[in-house]
Amino acid sequence: MMGFGNQSDFLLIYKLNTNLLSMRKLLLCSISLLSLNLFSQEHFSGINISKRSGLLNASVNPAELTNMSRKFDINVFNMSVNVSNNKVTFSDLVGGEDLEKKIFTGSEPTSMRLDVLIQGPSFAMQYKKWAFAISSAANIKANAIDVDVNFGNAVTNSFFGNAQINSGYNQRMNGASWGEINLTAARTIFESDMHKFSGGLTLKMLFPGSYMNMGVDKLTGRVYYDPVSEDVYLTDATANVNFSYSGSLAGNYEDTSNYSKLFAGGLNGIGTDIGFNYQLKEKVEESTDAGSRTYDEYKLNVGASIRNMGSMTFKDDNNESINYRLNIPTTNPLNMEEFDQAKSVKEIEAILMSKGYLTKQTSNGDFKVKFPAVINLYADYKIYNKWYVSAYTQQKLTDDSGNDFTTIQNVLTLTPRFAGKNYELYLPLSSNEVSGFTTGFGFRLGGFFLGSGSIITAALDNSKQADIYMGFRFGI
């Protein structure tokens, strides 16, 4: 869609996250996305607090549902795809840099993230002081989180030499897919000629699809290249290791047919969003063919919400979540080539078990995966006539580095906007946790919108993030 590639492009990136030795391929897939000039950091950056309030705004703050300009709002299809990393820029890609070395340079751990959100058919309506909505969504996340640069270099074919590893954090390869059916209710609590205050709540019914996590916490050890065998070894190593898998990611990850089964796990989780909204209103006079009319519009729109409170339970015949103690002695080093033919998390786990490197600590069948709760704060101010400026932040309330968490990023965005009733042009300027500063562009024409949060920094060869989003909705 929009030049981004077909479904297999997403599935390839998603499955590559399930193999510790796929770091180089994962990087190259991520960079291939960068080469398409599709860039951003949070979903629907710049349009998510649009002047045209409705279902899209309610995904950030359910209280926004009371601000719909029409009685009914219908979402047909919205899609947002984000790819980010903290090491490689667009200029590195076009400049012929050795990307394999670049991604593991410096001392800061390497992180790469893919986040796909698809909002399907959804419906909202207003009734007196109330507003209600039912919406659907599908989510895919695939991440390499805090990978030690020495370890990352060791598992690529370009490593030569000897390096010590002493990481005090949890290195993770993590993937998850799930579906949602969301019920939202919002109410105007107080309204006068000048002020309006609303509250809202969203109940999320969660349908787990598949999940995989490989966590290597506090890894210490030594990696070295053997010039005789031309292999790379890990030795004198200890760590706490977690292997969790469910659904399609427990088996052969080359079987791409299972990746689209986002609702396959049935209803096995509940989440909630809660939010409040305040508007400072003003009277606006508009000239028409029939004369003039006066209507209400906001001078200032402010909102706060807490989102992603909840968890989902993965239940499947192939479910497993096991914590191990890893111990690789100097007398029996691990040859990294052992993993070359591994096609599943189970195979990687079996290889380590067969070598006697793992000691089981705890194990579970069905397991819960938590969402990292976030707080969203924003303000949209009308400067003059059709000129607006908004500030938006998304901040985690919990640490998502644990093995039983999906991931989310901290974000801060400032967006100048030129907005009329049926159109908007906007320029989001953002800073996020993984890829830093980006600038993009987007527009809305009626119910159709298309944008990117960092296409401008991409044009300047300076972006570490890739995204595109688009959608169509209409009001009645």
Side-chain angles (χ1 to χ4, degrees):
M1 183 175 295
M2 298 303 296
F4 196 83
N6 57 35
Q7 183 184 32
S8 62
D9 295 327
F10 303 126
L11 302 182
L12 178 60
I13 298 173
Y14 189 58
K15 70 180 183 178
L16 286 176
N17 279 275
T18 64
N19 194 325
L20 282 171
L21 291 182
S22 295
M23 291 300 298
R24 182 180 59 169
K25 294 179 182 178
L26 174 65
L27 167 64
L28 294 177
C29 288
S30 299
I31 297 305
S32 69
L33 296 175
L34 283 168
S35 67
L36 297 171
N37 291 344
L38 314 172
F39 299 81
S40 185
Q41 47 275 358
E42 88 254 18
H43 288 302
F44 308 111
S45 178
I47 193 71
N48 52 3
I49 49 174
S50 166
K51 177 186 175 183
R52 184 207 179 282
S53 187
L55 283 160
L56 185 62
N57 304 59
S59 66
V60 174
N61 182 354
E64 283 281 356
L65 214 57
T66 63
N67 297 328
M68 293 191 303
S69 58
R70 303 287 184 91
K71 184 174 182 179
F72 302 104
D73 191 36
I74 300 170
N75 182 75
V76 179
F77 178 83
N78 299 336
M79 183 174 184
S80 174
V81 181
N82 292 350
V83 178
S84 63
N85 79 95
N86 64 340
K87 295 295 179 74
V88 176
T89 66
F90 189 78
S91 59
D92 295 325
L93 175 67
V94 299
E97 292 278 343
D98 187 337
L99 302 181
E100 197 172 85
K101 291 182 178 179
K102 180 73 176 179
I103 196 68
F104 296 117
T105 57
S107 58
E108 181 185 6
T110 296
S111 293
M112 292 178 284
R113 305 198 181 197
L114 167 71
D115 196 343
V116 180
L117 172 62
I118 301 170
Q119 295 177 336
S122 307
F123 174 80
M125 66 171 290
Q126 288 184 320
Y127 178 73
K128 297 182 179 180
K129 293 184 177 182
W130 288 90
F132 304 94
I134 180 169
S135 57
S136 60
N139 300 266
I140 297 176
K141 292 179 182 285
N143 308 284
I145 307 164
D146 291 337
V147 178
D148 182 274
V149 292
N150 289 325
F151 184 67
N153 275 316
V155 297
T156 63
N157 294 330
S158 61
F159 180 78
F160 299 97
N162 192 315
Q164 190 69 33
I165 300 173
N166 188 16
S167 59
Y169 42 83
N170 189 20
Q171 304 178 59
R172 298 173 68 199
M173 304 293 287
N174 176 273
S177 66
W178 71 93
E180 300 177 10
I181 295 178
N182 303 324
L183 303 175
T184 301
R187 192 181 193 282
T188 299
I189 300 171
F190 171 80
E191 185 171 15
S192 66
D193 290 341
M194 290 291 294
H195 308 282
K196 182 180 179 181
F197 182 70
S198 305
L201 176 72
T202 295
L203 177 67
K204 299 182 176 182
M205 295 179 287
L206 306 174
F207 298 79
S210 58
Y211 182 78
M212 184 282 303
N213 185 81
M214 288 190 292
V216 183
D217 189 24
K218 297 180 175 60
L219 174 65
T220 63
R222 183 171 62 89
V223 289
Y224 66 91
Y225 171 77
D226 186 338
V228 177
S229 65
E230 298 184 342
D231 292 333
V232 178
Y233 291 87
L234 174 63
T235 188
D236 193 23
T238 60
N240 296 313
V241 178
N242 172 265
F243 288 98
S244 299
Y245 39 81
S246 179
S248 61
L249 288 180
N252 187 337
Y253 49 75
E254 293 185 354
D255 182 6
T256 59
S257 63
N258 291 323
Y259 287 85
S260 61
K261 298 178 181 178
L262 298 168
F263 290 80
L267 176 58
N268 273 303
I270 296 293
T272 55
D273 298 346
I274 186 170
F276 296 93
N277 174 258
Y278 167 76
Q279 287 191 347
L280 175 64
K281 299 190 295 182
E282 66 174 359
K283 298 291 184 180
V284 176
E285 187 172 327
E286 180 183 53
S287 297
T288 66
D289 293 339
S292 62
R293 69 183 186 96
T294 301
Y295 61 93
D296 287 336
E297 200 173 71
Y298 68 78
K299 178 70 174 179
L300 175 67
N301 185 45
V302 179
S305 64
I306 299 176
R307 299 172 49 235
N308 297 338
M309 296 179 289
S311 63
M312 55 186 170
T313 301
F314 284 85
K315 296 182 178 182
D316 201 283
D317 292 340
N318 56 16
N319 259 35
E320 200 70 77
S321 179
I322 306 178
N323 293 313
Y324 293 101
R325 181 63 179 171
L326 174 73
N327 184 24
I328 302 176
T330 55
T331 55
N332 184 24
L334 169 62
N335 186 342
M336 301 304 232
E337 296 292 326
E338 295 274 356
F339 297 111
D340 274 359
Q341 303 304 315
K343 296 182 179 180
S344 71
V345 183
K346 286 183 177 180
E347 291 181 15
I348 296 171
E349 181 182 24
I351 290 169
L352 293 173
M353 287 291 291
S354 68
K355 298 294 182 179
Y357 297 141
L358 297 178
T359 303
K360 184 184 291 187
Q361 304 292 310
T362 60
S363 64
N364 295 292
D366 298 342
F367 56 88
K368 285 187 177 182
V369 175
K370 304 172 188 175
F371 291 108
V374 296
I375 184 170
N376 288 121
L377 302 172
Y378 60 88
D380 191 27
Y381 179 70
K382 182 178 180 180
I383 302 173
Y384 173 74
N385 197 6
K386 296 180 179 180
W387 290 97
Y388 294 76
V389 62
S390 65
Y392 167 90
T393 185
Q394 170 181 288
Q395 297 294 314
K396 291 182 288 190
L397 297 177
T398 56
D399 181 7
D400 65 358
S401 64
N403 291 311
D404 58 349
F405 273 93
T406 57
T407 60
I408 201 165
Q409 298 188 50
N410 292 328
V411 177
L412 180 63
T413 302
L414 183 69
T415 306
R417 179 187 299 110
F418 184 74
K421 181 179 180 181
N422 297 311
Y423 62 87
E424 288 183 60
L425 300 172
Y426 50 90
L427 186 78
L429 302 97
S430 302
S431 176
N432 82 72
E433 183 179 359
V434 173
S435 59
F437 177 76
T438 56
T439 303
F441 175 78
F443 71 91
R444 174 180 67 87
L445 184 61
F448 175 78
F449 62 89
L450 174 66
S452 163
S454 58
I455 194 169
I456 294 178
T457 42
L460 299 174
D461 298 340
N462 194 36
S463 181
K464 296 177 183 176
Q465 183 125 0
D467 90 284
I468 187 171
Y469 61 80
M470 63 178 298
F472 179 72
R473 62 259 175 86
F474 62 93
I476 300 176

